[in-house]
Structure formats: structure tokens, C-alpha cells
Amino acid sequence: MATTVQENYIGSGICYLNGRDIGNVTAASFSIDQETKEKANLRGGGGNIASLTRISSIKLAITMDSFNNDNLAMALRGQVDVEASAAVADELVTAVVPGLGQTAKLIDVTQAFSVKDNVDGALVEGTDYEITAAGVLAIDGGAISDGDTIKVTYQSKAASALEAMVSSGDEFKFVLDGLNDHNGKPSVVTAFRFKPSPTSGLDLIGEDYADFQVEGELLADTTITAAGKSQFFRRIYAD
């Protein structure tokens, strides 16, 4: 008599896209959409005389909580531009009173800075304005009027700028270097051609640690032609 083996599974592991570790992944799952063709049995008795079920698409969804720019660029079809620290002199900024006049670069607030009016008169920090990484906060009742052009001199902070929705979307090889936490067995899953769609949402402010989901289709890898070998994904699991 054959013995039925119960193989319980609690998955964990490290996920890679084109070999890059994408950080902590809180969920990863495949979903398979199917299309069924049916031919009704009209000879009496009801039911179908023929039926065919075809796979219409295979999708992979990944939930990540590492907000590094490489992950966000993938999730937002963007590109990342690296900006070195630089001295910025007399950048023209339109003041908002009370409110933020944004500078073109990220201000390093630990370095020296100055703010002048449009005739080069010095403005006073704490009386006329406050400085933040994003720009100049004009103080109501100070010497700055709404709509004034002010001149800001500062040292910009080295930063990475993510430009969202500027690329058409890339394909990735997905690898889960995984483990069944229930029994310690290694489990490696490979999806050969993963094309993610842009994430459906991205939390910017909240009381809990944020995450985001990226879902995309697995495309057939037509370079895999051997009989019995999947063109979509493979799971290798220790005996």
C-alpha cells in the first residue's frame, strides 16, 4: 500500500531580479488564468460532449518593503539619475508666503547657506525664512512677499533622483533562493521572463511600515525547447 506523504510548507527566502537582491519580500505568488472551451452535448442528457481548458496567462505578484530607488524604478517604470553634491549660487526661487519655495536640488542643511531678496539684500533666518531640505519656507510677516523672486545660495546634498514613468518597462529573470521553514529544505524557483506592470499604488505617509506590490506576466522563453521543460517557471525542491 502506497504511503501518502504530507509535505507542509512555510516559505521564506531571498528574491533576485536579474541577479539583484531586491531586499525583504513579504509575499510572492503565482496566479494562473485559464480559458475553457466547451461543446454542449445535444444528444440528450445534458452536459458537454467536449471540453478544453487552455492557459491564458501566468502572473507573478511580489510584495516588497525595501524602498530603494532600483526597486522603485522597476515598480514605476522609471530611471535613476545620480546627483553629486555641488555648490549652488544665487538660485532664483519664487517665494510662497506662508509656504515653501522649492529649490531645484536637495539642500544640505548642515552646510552654510544664504537667502537674499531680488536686489541682493540679505534676509534673516528665523525672521524672514526657515530653510529645509526642500527649499525656503517664507515666514508670514517677514520681509518676503508672496511671489517675490529670492536668491538662494547653498550646498546641495548628494542624492539619487527617480524619474517615474519614463521607460517602457523591462523584463527580468526572477529567482527565489528559498527555504521551506517547516522542514529546512531548500527550494529554488526560477521565472525566466517576468515583465512587471507599474505598481497600482505607493504609500508616502503612514503610521506603519509601508510596502508595495508589483505584478506582471510571465512570458514564454522560446529558447527552451527540450521536451518536458517549462518555458515559464521551474521549482527545484530538495528530496
Side-chain angles (χ1 to χ4, degrees), residues 21 39 51 55 57 66 69 88-89 101 109 125 127 131 134 141 145 149 153 158 160 166 174 180 183 189 196 215 222:
D21 183 348
K39 179 180 284 190
S51 176
I55 304 300
S57 66
S66 177
N69 270 339
V88 180
V109 297
E125 183 184 10
T127 299
I131 202 84
S145 297
T149 298
T153 296
S160 297
V166 296
F174 169 85
N180 184 350
N183 54 24
V189 178
E215 181 178 297
T222 56

Side-chain angles (χ1 to χ4, degrees), residues 47 81 101 144 177 186 211:
D81 298 325
I144 303 174
D177 185 1
D211 59 23

Side-chain angles (χ1 to χ4, degrees), residues 182-193:
H182 175 74
N183 54 24
K185 291 183 180 181
S187 173
V188 176
V189 178
T190 306
F192 308 114
R193 293 180 63 199

Side-chain angles (χ1 to χ4, degrees), residues 49-102:
I49 198 170
S51 176
L52 172 66
T53 299
R54 296 187 297 193
I55 304 300
S56 56
S57 66
I58 304 172
K59 296 178 182 177
L60 170 63
I62 310 171
T63 302
M64 295 172 276
D65 62 16
S66 177
F67 277 65
N68 63 68
N69 270 339
D70 288 327
N71 283 352
L72 292 178
M74 181 267 296
L76 298 171
R77 289 191 175 176
Q79 70 178 31
V80 178
D81 298 325
V82 177
E83 299 180 350
S85 176
V88 180
D90 288 344
E91 179 181 327
L92 300 179
V93 173
T94 300
V96 178
V97 182
L100 174 70
Q102 186 180 15

Side-chain angles (χ1 to χ4, degrees), residues 18-190:
N18 287 352
R20 180 180 65 84
D21 183 348
I22 61 176
N24 193 47
V25 172
T26 57
S29 61
F30 291 122
S31 61
I32 301 172
D33 296 327
Q34 303 176 60
E35 177 186 12
T36 300
K37 301 287 188 180
E38 297 174 339
K39 179 180 284 190
N41 174 22
L42 302 179
R43 293 172 60 87
N48 293 319
I49 198 170
S51 176
L52 172 66
T53 299
R54 296 187 297 193
I55 304 300
S56 56
S57 66
I58 304 172
K59 296 178 182 177
L60 170 63
I62 310 171
T63 302
M64 295 172 276
D65 62 16
S66 177
F67 277 65
N68 63 68
N69 270 339
D70 288 327
N71 283 352
L72 292 178
M74 181 267 296
L76 298 171
R77 289 191 175 176
Q79 70 178 31
V80 178
D81 298 325
V82 177
E83 299 180 350
S85 176
V88 180
D90 288 344
E91 179 181 327
L92 300 179
V93 173
T94 300
V96 178
V97 182
L100 174 70
Q102 186 180 15
T103 50
K105 297 180 179 295
L106 198 66
I107 296 177
D108 186 346
V109 297
T110 67
Q111 303 298 314
F113 56 84
S114 68
V115 181
K116 298 181 290 187
D117 61 25
N118 57 3
V119 291
D120 291 332
L123 297 168
V124 180
E125 183 184 10
T127 299
D128 301 319
Y129 70 90
E130 299 289 349
I131 202 84
T132 77
V136 177
L137 290 169
I139 297 174
D140 196 13
I144 303 174
S145 297
D146 190 53
D148 279 357
T149 298
I150 57 177
K151 298 178 180 179
V152 187
T153 296
Y154 61 95
Q155 185 74 24
S156 74
K157 199 170 183 64
S160 297
L162 170 64
E163 302 291 344
M165 307 302 173
V166 296
S167 68
S168 59
D170 296 322
E171 291 182 16
F172 300 89
K173 180 180 180 181
F174 169 85
V175 177
L176 167 61
D177 185 1
L179 191 72
N180 184 350
D181 282 341
H182 175 74
N183 54 24
K185 291 183 180 181
S187 173
V188 176
V189 178
T190 306

